[in-house]
Amino acid sequence: MDSPIQAFYDWYKRTLEHPKYRWLLAGATLLYLLSPIDISPDFIPIIGWIDDAAVASIFITAMSQIVLSGLTNKRSGLRSDTPDAADATVDVDFN
């Protein structure tokens, strides 16, 4: 069974990869990092910064993977938001 941390990371990464929820989750992450309300308060030295560092590193890792895969798809000519030419139906009228 996965640890709770691994389960959270998997959920977070899957949600960030979904275009509909990407900006919502990115905004919520930035709000969490800037908010004084945390799992461990920021006024406690070092311990208060650990949760912010963990959330920031997960966010940066997931977003960099999304950006790198987008650049790779763009270079190879593949776009995830357009259908493949083989799947497209073309209606030709010979009148």
Side-chain angles (χ1 to χ4, degrees), residues 37-91:
I37 301 171
D38 287 339
I39 293 173
S40 60
D42 291 339
F43 64 85
I44 302 172
I46 300 175
I47 294 174
W49 302 321
I50 290 175
D51 66 328
D52 289 340
V55 169
S57 66
I58 291 171
F59 176 70
I60 291 169
T61 301
M63 286 302 288
S64 64
Q65 288 176 353
I66 291 169
V67 169
L68 288 175
S69 68
L71 289 174
T72 303
N73 288 345
K74 188 175 180 180
R75 276 201 182 133
S76 66
L78 299 174
R79 292 187 53 182
S80 61
D81 59 346
T82 59
D84 292 332
D87 295 335
T89 302
V90 178
D91 187 20

